[in-house]
Amino acid sequence: MRLITLTIINIKRTIKNPAMLLMTFLFPMVVLFGVVGTGSGGSSLGKIGIIDNTSGKYSKDLIQELEEKYDIENLEGTVEDSYNDLRDKKLAMVYVLNEDFDKNIDLGKTPKIENYVVETGMGSIIAEDIINNYVNKLLEESINSGLSTNSIDSVIVESYEKDSNDYYMAVIMICYFMMIGSTIITEDILKLKAQKVLKRVISTGNKDRQILGSLYISSFIIQAIISSISLIVAIMIFKIERFNLGLGILAITLCSLITTAIIMTVTRWVKNQTLASLAVVIFGLLAFAVGILGTNLDEFSNVPKAIGYLSVISPFSWLGKIINGESIVISIIVIVLMSLAFFTLGSFKLRDYVKE
């Protein structure tokens, strides 16, 4: 019961520190606005990709017609190369103008235009209307609201669950800032020691385990709760799709566990507040960089393959697997074992600690 009381007291004391909310809530939102916010939402729905295999007069005129309403991106290669951009909403749709586009119009035939979309929306309907009107005008057919000629063959591109980059980035960035933000808790604990607060608490008859337990349990709870709220808010603000909230919160909770263990290790072995904060920041940066590079090695050029092997010791690589729904049980076990290793490394007797 005393442990619970001390934990609540520490939570109230820590939550009053504005820097805690700044690092674990506000900073992730600002960074995610740049990483996720600009790539999601309605603004991307106005961009059309066009693969022009004919480069004739009619196709150029049609593209000019579409440019009055849309941001046009001229694409090369096959439409399959643009599937990821469609799934990630970087493109609203992709139109393919085949080689016989101009030839069919000259022959008085309706050319068939392939349209690739993830889902049909108002943007694709307006684009189809522009294209059909243009083709019908060239064919000198009567145009009405029903449109007697339909030039569009739509193909729905499957939106795979594994294509959830926005969700992955949201969770992993929140975890990263949680680890960097733990410097605030590290400094707080070292201040309590420097100001003899821990020594006075011991003299009141509280047990070592109760005092230490309340400090680290409160740190774990605060980081997990605030970061989970950050994820929920990010999903709503940035309209993140294809997410698994349960796995996201699981990853955040495990990150809070290992972050708390790191706090315990640093406060045990590093006496200077500045050096302690620097140690946490350096560890967070290295773990994040190695984890991200190792997990996504194929997407980066000139990165040594050794980084891929080294990433197994980074908690972020295992958190990434959980976020993506891969090897969840193994990842949980690895992170728990990492946390236990840090807890063991940082374990100490409080009475001896405050005398140092």
Side-chain angles (χ1 to χ4, degrees):
M1 192 66 185
R2 185 61 179 166
L3 175 62
I4 297 174
T5 302
L6 289 172
T7 301
I8 293 173
I9 291 172
N10 281 313
I11 289 174
K12 290 180 178 179
R13 182 178 55 81
T14 306
I15 206 72
K16 290 178 182 178
N17 188 344
M20 191 68 194
L21 291 174
L22 190 70
M23 286 297 298
T24 56
F25 183 81
L26 186 59
F27 277 10
M29 291 298 111
V30 173
V31 173
L32 286 173
F33 177 77
V35 176
V36 175
T38 55
S40 300
S43 61
S44 63
L45 297 180
K47 193 168 187 178
I48 294 178
I50 294 182
I51 300 176
D52 186 2
N53 292 325
T54 177
S55 299
K57 179 182 182 304
Y58 297 140
S59 63
K60 290 180 180 178
D61 289 344
L62 174 57
I63 291 172
Q64 289 180 355
E65 292 267 347
L66 290 169
E67 282 178 339
E68 294 180 5
K69 294 283 186 181
Y70 296 91
D71 181 11
I72 302 297
E73 181 174 342
N74 293 308
L75 305 174
E76 296 181 356
T78 64
V79 70
E80 287 79 8
D81 297 332
S82 303
Y83 276 4
N84 285 335
D85 286 341
L86 285 169
R87 292 168 183 147
D88 294 338
K89 291 188 175 181
K90 294 178 181 178
L91 293 174
M93 61 207 88
V94 173
Y95 287 100
V96 179
L97 305 181
N98 295 316
E99 296 176 357
D100 58 356
F101 179 80
D102 283 47
K103 181 180 178 181
N104 281 330
I105 291 177
D106 287 334
L107 295 173
K109 297 180 180 179
T110 302
K112 291 299 178 183
I113 302 171
E114 297 172 1
N115 174 29
Y116 294 81
V117 294
V118 171
E119 57 184 359
T120 303
M122 182 57 67
S124 61
I125 293 173
I126 294 174
E128 288 183 15
D129 185 60
I130 293 173
I131 294 171
N132 282 320
N133 274 307
Y134 175 78
V135 172
N136 286 336
K137 182 179 179 181
L138 290 175
L139 297 175
E140 297 181 348
E141 291 187 6
S142 60
I143 301 174
N144 53 53
S145 59
L147 292 177
S148 59
T149 302
N150 184 12
S151 305
I152 312 297
D153 281 342
S154 292
V155 178
I156 304 298
V157 177
E158 292 183 11
S159 177
Y160 296 109
E161 288 295 326
K162 63 181 179 182
D163 294 308
S164 50
N165 292 332
D166 288 353
Y167 159 68
Y168 172 84
M169 286 304 301
V171 181
I172 210 72
M173 290 305 298
I174 288 171
C175 288
Y176 169 71
F177 275 100
M178 181 201 302
M179 189 168 290
I180 298 299
S182 66
T183 56
I184 298 166
I185 299 174
T186 302
E187 290 178 357
D188 182 56
I189 294 174
L190 290 174
K191 279 182 181 178
L192 291 176
K193 179 192 174 184
Q195 295 170 358
K196 310 297 183 182
V197 174
L198 293 178
K199 192 173 184 178
R200 289 197 296 270
V201 174
I202 291 175
S203 64
T204 61
N206 293 298
K207 296 180 180 179
D208 292 20
R209 291 182 179 179
Q210 291 176 338
I211 299 170
L212 288 174
S214 65
L215 283 171
Y216 296 117
I217 291 173
S218 63
S219 300
F220 169 75
I221 292 173
I222 288 172
Q223 291 179 128
I225 290 177
I226 295 179
S227 296
S228 295
I229 292 172
S230 297
L231 176 60
I232 295 171
V233 172
I235 289 172
M236 292 189 295
I237 291 178
F238 304 118
K239 296 180 173 58
I240 297 174
E241 298 179 356
R242 300 189 295 279
F243 62 88
N244 187 317
L245 186 59
L247 290 180
I249 292 177
L250 173 61
I252 286 171
T253 303
L254 288 170
C255 183
S256 180
L257 178 65
I258 194 166
T259 298
T260 303
I262 293 168
I263 292 171
M264 186 172 179
T265 300
V266 172
T267 52
R268 169 66 181 91
W269 295 105
V270 185
K271 307 300 185 289
N272 183 278
Q273 293 180 23
T274 303
L275 291 178
S277 297
L278 185 61
V280 174
V281 170
I282 291 175
F283 178 85
L285 285 170
L286 290 176
F288 180 76
V290 170
I292 295 298
L293 289 174
T295 304
N296 305 281
L297 197 60
D298 294 337
E299 298 180 15
F300 298 95
S301 59
N302 301 322
V303 176
K305 290 185 178 180
I307 296 294
Y309 300 111
L310 193 60
S311 66
V312 297
I313 64 174
S314 169
F316 286 100
S317 63
W318 298 102
L319 291 172
K321 289 181 182 294
I322 294 174
I323 296 167
N324 290 327
E326 303 171 359
S327 307
I328 296 175
V329 176
I330 294 175
S331 299
I332 292 173
I333 293 172
V334 171
I335 293 176
V336 170
L337 289 175
M338 285 182 178
S339 302
L340 289 174
F342 278 110
F343 274 123
T344 302
L345 183 62
S347 60
F348 57 88
K349 291 182 178 180
L350 186 60
R351 294 182 188 278
D352 295 335
Y353 177 69
V354 296
K355 293 177 184 178
E356 293 178 356

